[in-house]
């Protein structure tokens, strides 16, 4: 799954746990994308479902495009090496999805926030937009049904949930209890074995859905950045429009790899 993120920066003592009023603010001019989203469903026996894939996307790769749902690039305030400015990462995701897919969409809300947003808050944002502002999914009889929202994750993200210095227990209960998780299990890993050993994940096991990765693909954003730095070809690793954008904007070719570098240096 490329580079799925954990809930980020190791938690500091006294860090605030999840609260329902932790919502961020809409960026100026922001609008939630729904242009590829079905507004109604014909089979009322099914449950409408939306997958949310949080990640760095620095840059987005063909592996990311094998997922489905919404891309939610992390903000510049997520401390991670290789993180290009949010405006570039959002635009690369848009270039990769706007013409190549009839269902993939990019939500810039998280990326453009003025502070780091926890995953629980991001999922609440999607819930507010899809089930609050949009009103859910319209059924054949005119009634509406709540859209189920799942966090799309790789097996490595699930395993990181066992680290108390990364994920707050309150956040895990909210993410897995209120929403749920769709896990892409990589070859050679056993997600269910880990679930059995983790109390909170096992408690919410019915909301965790595991999908086997049938075709192994190890394309990663880290490798793409390294190839650019070493002046090696990234053709067929990322969409052509993304490749051109990287070169046109001189991304990943300079020794600027952390958030503080982009804040203090006029990139481009």
């Amino acid at each position: 799954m490329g580079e799925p993120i954990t809930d980020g920066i190791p938690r500091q003592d006294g860090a605030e746990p999840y609260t329902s009023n932790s919502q961020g603010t809409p960026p100026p001019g922001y609008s939630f994308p729904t242009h590829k989203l079905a507004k109604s469903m014909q089979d009322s026996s099914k449950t409408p479902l939306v997958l949310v894939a949080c990640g760095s996307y620095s840059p987005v790769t063909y592996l990311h495009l094998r997922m489905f749902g919404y891309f939610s690039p992390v903000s510049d305030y997520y401390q991670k090496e290789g993180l290009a400015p949010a405006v570039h990462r959002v635009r690369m995701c848009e270039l990769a999805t706007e013409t190549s897919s009839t269902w993939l969409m990019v939500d810039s809300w998280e990326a453009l926030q003025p502070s780091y947003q926890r995953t629980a808050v991001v999922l609440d944002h999607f819930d507010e937009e899809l089930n609050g502002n949009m009103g859910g999914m319209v059924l054949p009889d005119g009634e509406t049904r709540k859209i189920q929202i799942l966090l799309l994750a790789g097996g490595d993200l699930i395993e990181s949930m066992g680290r108390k210095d990364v994920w707050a227990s309150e956040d895990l209960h909210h993410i897995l209890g209120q929403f749920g998780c769709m896990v892409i299990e990589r070859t050679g890993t056993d997600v269910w074995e880990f679930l059995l050993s983790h109390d909170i994940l096992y408690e919410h096991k019915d909301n965790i859905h595991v999908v086997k990765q049938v075709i192994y693909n190890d394309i990663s954003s880290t490798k793409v950045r390294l190839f650019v730095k070493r002046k090696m070809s990234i053709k067929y690793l990322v969409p052509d429009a993304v490749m051109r954008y990287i070169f046109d904007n001189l991304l990943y070719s300079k020794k600027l790899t952390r958030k503080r570098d982009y804040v203090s240096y006029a990139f481009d």
Side-chain angles (χ1 to χ4, degrees), residues 53-256:
C54 298
S56 299
Y57 303 112
S58 188
V60 63
T61 72
Y62 274 124
L63 178 57
H64 295 127
L65 297 180
R66 286 184 58 82
M67 301 184 296
F68 40 96
Y70 280 97
F71 290 145
S72 181
V74 72
S75 79
D76 287 339
Y77 294 89
Y78 178 73
Q79 301 275 2
K80 185 173 183 178
E81 290 191 22
L83 200 65
V87 64
H88 290 311
R89 291 182 286 111
V90 169
R91 184 55 186 151
M92 285 189 286
C93 287
E94 291 172 343
L95 289 171
T97 60
E98 61 188 13
T99 60
S100 65
S101 172
T102 58
W103 65 87
L104 292 175
M105 287 179 284
V106 183
D107 181 36
S108 62
W109 183 88
E110 180 185 4
L112 302 180
Q113 289 298 307
S115 62
Y116 173 71
Q117 299 296 312
R118 303 170 83 94
T119 303
V121 177
V122 175
L123 295 180
D124 274 348
H125 155 71
F126 276 90
D127 186 42
E128 179 182 359
E129 293 288 353
L130 294 169
N131 293 311
N133 297 338
M134 199 179 85
M137 187 67 65
V138 179
L139 302 177
D141 61 4
E143 297 293 320
T144 59
R145 178 171 297 167
K146 184 176 181 179
I147 297 173
Q148 182 179 359
I149 298 167
L150 295 180
L151 176 67
L152 184 61
D156 47 357
L157 185 145
I158 287 294
E159 291 180 2
S160 78
M161 290 181 175
R163 293 182 52 189
K164 293 182 179 180
D165 63 329
V166 175
W167 295 85
S169 296
E170 296 88 348
D171 285 30
L172 291 181
H173 280 296
H174 186 75
I175 292 169
L176 300 175
Q178 181 71 22
F179 301 106
C181 194
M182 182 75 74
V183 183
I184 309 298
E185 185 176 52
R186 294 190 178 190
T187 303
T189 63
D190 190 342
V191 173
W192 283 113
E193 181 178 353
F194 179 75
L195 296 183
L196 287 172
S197 65
H198 192 283
D199 291 341
I200 296 178
L201 270 65
Y202 189 75
E203 177 182 343
H204 299 291
K205 65 182 183 302
D206 290 341
N207 288 341
I208 300 175
H209 311 275
V210 179
V211 178
K212 289 285 187 180
Q213 182 173 334
V214 180
I215 299 177
Y216 181 73
N217 187 332
D218 67 347
I219 296 175
S220 72
S221 299
T222 300
K223 291 179 180 178
V224 172
R225 294 195 302 269
L226 181 60
F227 277 30
V228 173
K229 182 178 179 181
R230 301 303 185 203
K231 302 186 186 310
M232 299 171 65
S233 174
I234 57 173
K235 182 78 170 177
Y236 307 122
L237 299 180
V238 301
D240 285 351
V242 173
M243 180 177 66
R244 288 193 296 269
Y245 188 91
I246 290 173
F247 295 144
D248 289 346
N249 291 276
L250 304 178
L251 299 181
Y252 313 121
S253 60
K254 300 180 181 180
K255 294 182 179 179
L256 299 176

